[in-house]
Amino acid sequence: MASYDAYGTPTKPDSNCRTCTDFKSWSKQQRHIFQKATDKDAAKAGGDGGTKDTNMPREDCPLDKSRLGQSTWGLLHTMAAFYSDNPTDNQKKDVKTFFDVLSRLYPCEYCAQDFRKDLRENPVQVNSQKDFSQWLCQFHNRVNVKLGKPEFDCSKVNERWRDGWLDGSCD
């Protein structure tokens, strides 16, 4: 039985929560559930109950954990890339507040708990665009390590998220 936080969000990965599981696992589970229902309906109607199996989700489907993460990282890195070189006290406060709120409202509670823990151990650095972008890149790399993904070279963070690759491939 899943446990839930004050917002009704599962506090650990829930196999029924698409934002808490990878798409392949969730999709397989949903196909199995759908197939069972289709087989029952087909048996009642005397049909074969065949279904169309596709590996790629539609573009207009709810985000799974992977697509949610990619979209979130895209937003966060873009925010950092275009952050002020000399932020005002209000801008600094707003970014800190944004991260605090995001860590509490992120749809995958398991991810959100890890996010909050990391923020406590490594508070967001907001004194300049460079500080913020580097902090976020290092934060992202800590998550990548946990997920067994390769780390990104943080010296290239502005090339990746603000200026475009030096080879001109983004022009």
Side-chain angles (χ1 to χ4, degrees):
M1 180 165 184
S3 57
Y4 297 88
D5 69 4
Y7 297 106
T9 307
T11 56
K12 59 184 176 180
D14 178 354
S15 63
N16 291 320
C17 173
R18 190 166 178 183
T19 59
C20 298
T21 60
D22 66 273
F23 181 78
K24 287 181 183 177
S25 299
W26 181 86
S27 179
K28 183 177 178 182
Q29 176 192 38
Q30 297 306 307
R31 279 195 304 271
H32 181 71
I33 291 168
F34 178 76
Q35 186 64 45
K36 280 176 132 178
T38 303
D39 289 347
K40 283 182 184 178
D41 291 345
K44 288 179 187 175
D48 68 0
T51 61
K52 181 181 176 184
D53 188 10
T54 61
N55 291 329
M56 296 298 296
R58 291 172 36 159
E59 287 297 316
D60 59 349
C61 291
L63 298 179
D64 62 14
K65 185 169 93 172
S66 177
R67 287 179 57 205
L68 175 64
Q70 291 170 354
S71 298
T72 302
W73 286 121
L75 171 66
L76 296 178
H77 282 293
T78 303
M79 284 174 55
F82 291 94
Y83 187 67
S84 175
D85 289 329
N86 299 299
T88 65
D89 288 342
N90 276 343
Q91 288 171 315
K92 293 176 187 180
K93 180 179 169 256
D94 287 346
V95 170
K96 289 177 182 181
T97 299
F98 176 85
F99 274 80
D100 178 55
V101 171
L102 180 62
S103 77
R104 288 184 278 125
L105 296 178
Y106 196 75
C108 173
E109 182 57 27
Y110 178 79
C111 303
Q113 286 177 357
D114 191 59
F115 191 179
R116 289 189 296 273
K117 180 178 184 276
D118 198 283
L119 282 173
R120 282 191 302 275
E121 295 171 1
N122 304 286
V124 63
Q125 301 298 307
V126 294
N127 289 327
S128 68
Q129 186 275 330
K130 181 179 179 184
D131 286 349
F132 186 21
S133 290
Q134 289 299 307
W135 172 85
L136 185 61
C137 183
Q138 292 163 8
F139 175 58
H140 194 166
N141 277 338
R142 286 190 296 275
V143 172
N144 283 343
V145 167
K146 291 174 194 174
L147 297 175
K149 294 181 177 183
E151 292 183 62
F152 183 79
D153 178 356
C154 291
S155 71
K156 298 180 186 284
V157 72
N158 283 340
E159 190 177 346
R160 166 64 178 96
W161 294 101
R162 185 184 67 189
D163 306 326
W165 299 113
L166 294 177
D167 66 6
S169 59
C170 297
D171 297 341

PDB file of all heavy atoms in Angstrom, residues 70-89:
ATOM      1  N   GLN A  70      13.378  15.522 -18.224  1.00  0.00           N
ATOM      2  CA  GLN A  70      14.026  16.238 -19.329  1.00  0.00           C
ATOM      3  C   GLN A  70      13.441  17.636 -19.489  1.00  0.00           C
ATOM      4  O   GLN A  70      14.177  18.608 -19.667  1.00  0.00           O
ATOM      5  CB  GLN A  70      13.882  15.461 -20.637  1.00  0.00           C
ATOM      6  CG  GLN A  70      14.682  14.191 -20.676  1.00  0.00           C
ATOM      7  CD  GLN A  70      14.330  13.320 -21.872  1.00  0.00           C
ATOM      8  OE1 GLN A  70      13.412  13.598 -22.634  1.00  0.00           O
ATOM      9  NE2 GLN A  70      15.058  12.229 -22.029  1.00  0.00           N
ATOM     10  N   SER A  71      12.141  17.742 -19.407  1.00  0.00           N
ATOM     11  CA  SER A  71      11.492  19.050 -19.547  1.00  0.00           C
ATOM     12  C   SER A  71      11.857  19.968 -18.392  1.00  0.00           C
ATOM     13  O   SER A  71      12.125  21.159 -18.590  1.00  0.00           O
ATOM     14  CB  SER A  71       9.970  18.882 -19.606  1.00  0.00           C
ATOM     15  OG  SER A  71       9.593  18.124 -20.726  1.00  0.00           O
ATOM     16  N   THR A  72      11.890  19.421 -17.184  1.00  0.00           N
ATOM     17  CA  THR A  72      12.235  20.226 -16.011  1.00  0.00           C
ATOM     18  C   THR A  72      13.671  20.707 -16.096  1.00  0.00           C
ATOM     19  O   THR A  72      13.952  21.891 -15.856  1.00  0.00           O
ATOM     20  CB  THR A  72      12.008  19.419 -14.716  1.00  0.00           C
ATOM     21  OG1 THR A  72      10.640  18.999 -14.668  1.00  0.00           O
ATOM     22  CG2 THR A  72      12.327  20.253 -13.484  1.00  0.00           C
ATOM     23  N   TRP A  73      14.600  19.799 -16.432  1.00  0.00           N
ATOM     24  CA  TRP A  73      16.002  20.213 -16.570  1.00  0.00           C
ATOM     25  C   TRP A  73      16.134  21.282 -17.647  1.00  0.00           C
ATOM     26  O   TRP A  73      16.898  22.239 -17.482  1.00  0.00           O
ATOM     27  CB  TRP A  73      16.903  19.018 -16.893  1.00  0.00           C
ATOM     28  CG  TRP A  73      17.148  18.109 -15.738  1.00  0.00           C
ATOM     29  CD1 TRP A  73      16.856  16.774 -15.668  1.00  0.00           C
ATOM     30  CD2 TRP A  73      17.734  18.451 -14.473  1.00  0.00           C
ATOM     31  NE1 TRP A  73      17.220  16.276 -14.444  1.00  0.00           N
ATOM     32  CE2 TRP A  73      17.763  17.280 -13.683  1.00  0.00           C
ATOM     33  CE3 TRP A  73      18.231  19.634 -13.930  1.00  0.00           C
ATOM     34  CZ2 TRP A  73      18.283  17.263 -12.391  1.00  0.00           C
ATOM     35  CZ3 TRP A  73      18.739  19.605 -12.637  1.00  0.00           C
ATOM     36  CH2 TRP A  73      18.763  18.439 -11.886  1.00  0.00           C
ATOM     37  N   GLY A  74      15.410  21.145 -18.740  1.00  0.00           N
ATOM     38  CA  GLY A  74      15.458  22.156 -19.796  1.00  0.00           C
ATOM     39  C   GLY A  74      15.034  23.527 -19.282  1.00  0.00           C
ATOM     40  O   GLY A  74      15.688  24.541 -19.554  1.00  0.00           O
ATOM     41  N   LEU A  75      13.944  23.564 -18.539  1.00  0.00           N
ATOM     42  CA  LEU A  75      13.477  24.824 -17.958  1.00  0.00           C
ATOM     43  C   LEU A  75      14.511  25.389 -16.992  1.00  0.00           C
ATOM     44  O   LEU A  75      14.878  26.568 -17.076  1.00  0.00           O
ATOM     45  CB  LEU A  75      12.143  24.613 -17.242  1.00  0.00           C
ATOM     46  CG  LEU A  75      11.659  25.802 -16.407  1.00  0.00           C
ATOM     47  CD1 LEU A  75      11.325  26.996 -17.296  1.00  0.00           C
ATOM     48  CD2 LEU A  75      10.469  25.397 -15.553  1.00  0.00           C
ATOM     49  N   LEU A  76      14.982  24.565 -16.068  1.00  0.00           N
ATOM     50  CA  LEU A  76      15.917  25.052 -15.042  1.00  0.00           C
ATOM     51  C   LEU A  76      17.226  25.549 -15.645  1.00  0.00           C
ATOM     52  O   LEU A  76      17.721  26.620 -15.278  1.00  0.00           O
ATOM     53  CB  LEU A  76      16.187  23.959 -14.010  1.00  0.00           C
ATOM     54  CG  LEU A  76      14.979  23.509 -13.191  1.00  0.00           C
ATOM     55  CD1 LEU A  76      15.378  22.382 -12.236  1.00  0.00           C
ATOM     56  CD2 LEU A  76      14.349  24.673 -12.440  1.00  0.00           C
ATOM     57  N   HIS A  77      17.790  24.790 -16.574  1.00  0.00           N
ATOM     58  CA  HIS A  77      19.051  25.216 -17.197  1.00  0.00           C
ATOM     59  C   HIS A  77      18.866  26.490 -18.017  1.00  0.00           C
ATOM     60  O   HIS A  77      19.743  27.351 -18.049  1.00  0.00           O
ATOM     61  CB  HIS A  77      19.635  24.109 -18.073  1.00  0.00           C
ATOM     62  CG  HIS A  77      20.324  23.029 -17.301  1.00  0.00           C
ATOM     63  ND1 HIS A  77      21.489  23.232 -16.593  1.00  0.00           N
ATOM     64  CD2 HIS A  77      20.002  21.721 -17.119  1.00  0.00           C
ATOM     65  CE1 HIS A  77      21.872  22.107 -16.023  1.00  0.00           C
ATOM     66  NE2 HIS A  77      20.978  21.166 -16.332  1.00  0.00           N
ATOM     67  N   THR A  78      17.720  26.618 -18.673  1.00  0.00           N
ATOM     68  CA  THR A  78      17.450  27.831 -19.446  1.00  0.00           C
ATOM     69  C   THR A  78      17.261  29.024 -18.516  1.00  0.00           C
ATOM     70  O   THR A  78      17.744  30.132 -18.807  1.00  0.00           O
ATOM     71  CB  THR A  78      16.239  27.624 -20.368  1.00  0.00           C
ATOM     72  OG1 THR A  78      16.497  26.493 -21.218  1.00  0.00           O
ATOM     73  CG2 THR A  78      15.985  28.848 -21.236  1.00  0.00           C
ATOM     74  N   MET A  79      16.596  28.828 -17.395  1.00  0.00           N
ATOM     75  CA  MET A  79      16.472  29.903 -16.404  1.00  0.00           C
ATOM     76  C   MET A  79      17.861  30.350 -15.947  1.00  0.00           C
ATOM     77  O   MET A  79      18.145  31.555 -15.879  1.00  0.00           O
ATOM     78  CB  MET A  79      15.675  29.423 -15.181  1.00  0.00           C
ATOM     79  CG  MET A  79      14.189  29.323 -15.400  1.00  0.00           C
ATOM     80  SD  MET A  79      13.318  28.600 -13.979  1.00  0.00           S
ATOM     81  CE  MET A  79      13.827  29.656 -12.635  1.00  0.00           C
ATOM     82  N   ALA A  80      18.719  29.397 -15.629  1.00  0.00           N
ATOM     83  CA  ALA A  80      20.071  29.724 -15.155  1.00  0.00           C
ATOM     84  C   ALA A  80      20.890  30.402 -16.251  1.00  0.00           C
ATOM     85  O   ALA A  80      21.644  31.340 -15.977  1.00  0.00           O
ATOM     86  CB  ALA A  80      20.774  28.460 -14.662  1.00  0.00           C
ATOM     87  N   ALA A  81      20.726  29.946 -17.481  1.00  0.00           N
ATOM     88  CA  ALA A  81      21.495  30.508 -18.594  1.00  0.00           C
ATOM     89  C   ALA A  81      21.180  31.983 -18.827  1.00  0.00           C
ATOM     90  O   ALA A  81      22.055  32.758 -19.220  1.00  0.00           O
ATOM     91  CB  ALA A  81      21.225  29.710 -19.874  1.00  0.00           C
ATOM     92  N   PHE A  82      19.948  32.369 -18.563  1.00  0.00           N
ATOM     93  CA  PHE A  82      19.537  33.751 -18.823  1.00  0.00           C
ATOM     94  C   PHE A  82      19.355  34.567 -17.538  1.00  0.00           C
ATOM     95  O   PHE A  82      18.785  35.652 -17.566  1.00  0.00           O
ATOM     96  CB  PHE A  82      18.265  33.762 -19.679  1.00  0.00           C
ATOM     97  CG  PHE A  82      18.549  33.275 -21.077  1.00  0.00           C
ATOM     98  CD1 PHE A  82      18.363  31.941 -21.401  1.00  0.00           C
ATOM     99  CD2 PHE A  82      19.064  34.131 -22.032  1.00  0.00           C
ATOM    100  CE1 PHE A  82      18.667  31.474 -22.668  1.00  0.00           C
ATOM    101  CE2 PHE A  82      19.374  33.674 -23.306  1.00  0.00           C
ATOM    102  CZ  PHE A  82      19.178  32.340 -23.627  1.00  0.00           C
ATOM    103  N   TYR A  83      19.894  34.066 -16.452  1.00  0.00           N
ATOM    104  CA  TYR A  83      19.876  34.759 -15.167  1.00  0.00           C
ATOM    105  C   TYR A  83      20.850  35.938 -15.241  1.00  0.00           C
ATOM    106  O   TYR A  83      21.830  35.930 -15.980  1.00  0.00           O
ATOM    107  CB  TYR A  83      20.293  33.764 -14.076  1.00  0.00           C
ATOM    108  CG  TYR A  83      20.165  34.251 -12.662  1.00  0.00           C
ATOM    109  CD1 TYR A  83      18.925  34.514 -12.093  1.00  0.00           C
ATOM    110  CD2 TYR A  83      21.292  34.404 -11.865  1.00  0.00           C
ATOM    111  CE1 TYR A  83      18.814  34.919 -10.768  1.00  0.00           C
ATOM    112  CE2 TYR A  83      21.190  34.809 -10.545  1.00  0.00           C
ATOM    113  CZ  TYR A  83      19.955  35.073 -10.006  1.00  0.00           C
ATOM    114  OH  TYR A  83      19.848  35.477  -8.702  1.00  0.00           O
ATOM    115  N   SER A  84      20.602  36.940 -14.457  1.00  0.00           N
ATOM    116  CA  SER A  84      21.420  38.151 -14.470  1.00  0.00           C
ATOM    117  C   SER A  84      22.848  37.898 -13.971  1.00  0.00           C
ATOM    118  O   SER A  84      23.065  37.098 -13.057  1.00  0.00           O
ATOM    119  CB  SER A  84      20.754  39.207 -13.582  1.00  0.00           C
ATOM    120  OG  SER A  84      21.575  40.350 -13.487  1.00  0.00           O
ATOM    121  N   ASP A  85      23.798  38.610 -14.570  1.00  0.00           N
ATOM    122  CA  ASP A  85      25.174  38.574 -14.079  1.00  0.00           C
ATOM    123  C   ASP A  85      25.284  39.300 -12.738  1.00  0.00           C
ATOM    124  O   ASP A  85      26.179  38.999 -11.941  1.00  0.00           O
ATOM    125  CB  ASP A  85      26.134  39.218 -15.087  1.00  0.00           C
ATOM    126  CG  ASP A  85      26.326  38.355 -16.324  1.00  0.00           C
ATOM    127  OD1 ASP A  85      26.253  37.115 -16.213  1.00  0.00           O
ATOM    128  OD2 ASP A  85      26.538  38.932 -17.407  1.00  0.00           O
ATOM    129  N   ASN A  86      24.398  40.265 -12.522  1.00  0.00           N
ATOM    130  CA  ASN A  86      24.361  41.053 -11.285  1.00  0.00           C
ATOM    131  C   ASN A  86      22.921  41.117 -10.770  1.00  0.00           C
ATOM    132  O   ASN A  86      22.268  42.152 -10.864  1.00  0.00           O
ATOM    133  CB  ASN A  86      24.899  42.470 -11.533  1.00  0.00           C
ATOM    134  CG  ASN A  86      26.339  42.455 -11.995  1.00  0.00           C
ATOM    135  OD1 ASN A  86      27.209  41.988 -11.273  1.00  0.00           O
ATOM    136  ND2 ASN A  86      26.576  42.944 -13.206  1.00  0.00           N
ATOM    137  N   PRO A  87      22.433  40.007 -10.224  1.00  0.00           N
ATOM    138  CA  PRO A  87      21.025  39.971  -9.805  1.00  0.00           C
ATOM    139  C   PRO A  87      20.740  40.876  -8.615  1.00  0.00           C
ATOM    140  O   PRO A  87      21.610  41.110  -7.768  1.00  0.00           O
ATOM    141  CB  PRO A  87      20.811  38.504  -9.440  1.00  0.00           C
ATOM    142  CG  PRO A  87      22.176  38.013  -9.066  1.00  0.00           C
ATOM    143  CD  PRO A  87      23.135  38.765  -9.940  1.00  0.00           C
ATOM    144  N   THR A  88      19.523  41.364  -8.580  1.00  0.00           N
ATOM    145  CA  THR A  88      19.069  42.154  -7.437  1.00  0.00           C
ATOM    146  C   THR A  88      18.775  41.210  -6.269  1.00  0.00           C
ATOM    147  O   THR A  88      18.673  39.986  -6.459  1.00  0.00           O
ATOM    148  CB  THR A  88      17.782  42.933  -7.779  1.00  0.00           C
ATOM    149  OG1 THR A  88      16.727  41.976  -8.010  1.00  0.00           O
ATOM    150  CG2 THR A  88      17.968  43.826  -9.005  1.00  0.00           C
ATOM    151  N   ASP A  89      18.609  41.763  -5.111  1.00  0.00           N
ATOM    152  CA  ASP A  89      18.240  40.948  -3.945  1.00  0.00           C
ATOM    153  C   ASP A  89      16.909  40.244  -4.176  1.00  0.00           C
ATOM    154  O   ASP A  89      16.734  39.089  -3.768  1.00  0.00           O
ATOM    155  CB  ASP A  89      18.176  41.813  -2.681  1.00  0.00           C
ATOM    156  CG  ASP A  89      19.558  42.239  -2.188  1.00  0.00           C
ATOM    157  OD1 ASP A  89      20.567  41.612  -2.599  1.00  0.00           O
ATOM    158  OD2 ASP A  89      19.628  43.201  -1.400  1.00  0.00           O
TER     159      ASP A  89
END
